[in-house]
Amino acid sequence: MANKVKAINSGVTVAVVDTGVDPTVPNVSGKFLYNSQLRRNCGVSSLSGWDFVENDSLPQDEQGHGSAVIGIIAEELTANGIDFQILPIKAFGGDGRGSLFNIACALQYAINNDDVDIINMSFGWYYNNSEILSELLDEAGATKVLV
C-alpha cells in the first residue's frame, strides 16, 4: 500500500466509506491514496485511511466493493484531469456488512479531516432509527463537504 500513497496531498480528497481498498485496483495507476502521515486525525496514525472493523491502520478490502467504487471514482477523476487522492475508510467487513457504530465512526473520521472535500458512501441501511447518521450527515453538510 505504501507505494500507492501520494507524497503530497493536492487537489480533491475523496473519502470512501466502504469495505476498504485493494491498492492494486484495476484501472488506477500511480499514487492515488491520501497521505495520512501528513495530518493526524482523531488520534489515529496510519499510512492512508483507517479500518474501523479491525481497528487498525490497514483498510484492506477482502470483499471487493470498496475497491470497485474507488476504481470508478479514480477513473472518472483521471479522465477529467482532476488532481485527487482517495482516503479509504473501512466500515464494512468481508461479508459486506457494517455496524451502525463503525459507520458512524468512519463518517466522523472523514468529517474531522479538513482535507476531505467529498465523502462517498454507497450503501444503505435497514433501520429508521439512525438518528446519529442523520446528525453526522448534517454536520458534514455544515462543513461544506459533499456527501
Side-chain angles (χ1 to χ4, degrees):
M1 186 150 93
N3 65 338
K4 295 295 183 177
V5 177
K6 292 179 76 170
I8 304 287
N9 294 322
S10 60
V12 176
T13 300
V14 181
V16 178
V17 177
D18 212 300
T19 60
V21 64
D22 176 349
T24 63
V25 176
N27 303 324
V28 182
S29 61
K31 298 177 184 285
F32 67 96
L33 294 176
Y34 179 83
N35 191 333
S36 294
Q37 294 297 304
L38 300 177
R39 173 184 274 292
R40 299 289 183 230
N41 191 3
C42 295
V44 171
S45 177
S46 71
L47 195 58
S48 184
W50 192 257
D51 180 342
F52 285 98
V53 176
E54 300 294 328
N55 198 32
D56 64 29
S57 62
L58 297 170
Q60 183 65 40
D61 189 355
E62 299 97 19
Q63 202 270 347
H65 188 269
S67 296
V69 169
I70 288 169
I72 292 167
I73 292 169
E75 188 174 359
E76 285 299 312
L77 293 174
T78 300
N80 287 290
I82 299 170
D83 186 20
F84 72 94
Q85 56 271 327
I86 303 290
L87 177 63
I89 307 172
K90 184 174 179 177
F92 298 86
D95 61 359
R97 295 176 180 258
S99 70
L100 181 59
F101 180 78
N102 286 348
I103 295 166
C105 288
L107 188 51
Q108 188 68 67
Y109 175 82
I111 292 168
N112 286 352
N113 186 320
D114 295 335
D115 291 340
V116 171
D117 302 297
I118 300 169
I119 301 173
N120 183 88
M121 304 184 311
S122 55
F123 59 86
W125 59 88
Y126 295 106
Y127 301 105
N128 290 331
N129 63 347
S130 55
E131 185 176 325
I132 186 148
L133 285 184
S134 294
E135 289 175 9
L136 287 168
L137 290 172
D138 288 343
E139 183 180 339
T143 63
K144 307 268 192 262
V145 173
L146 177 63
V147 180

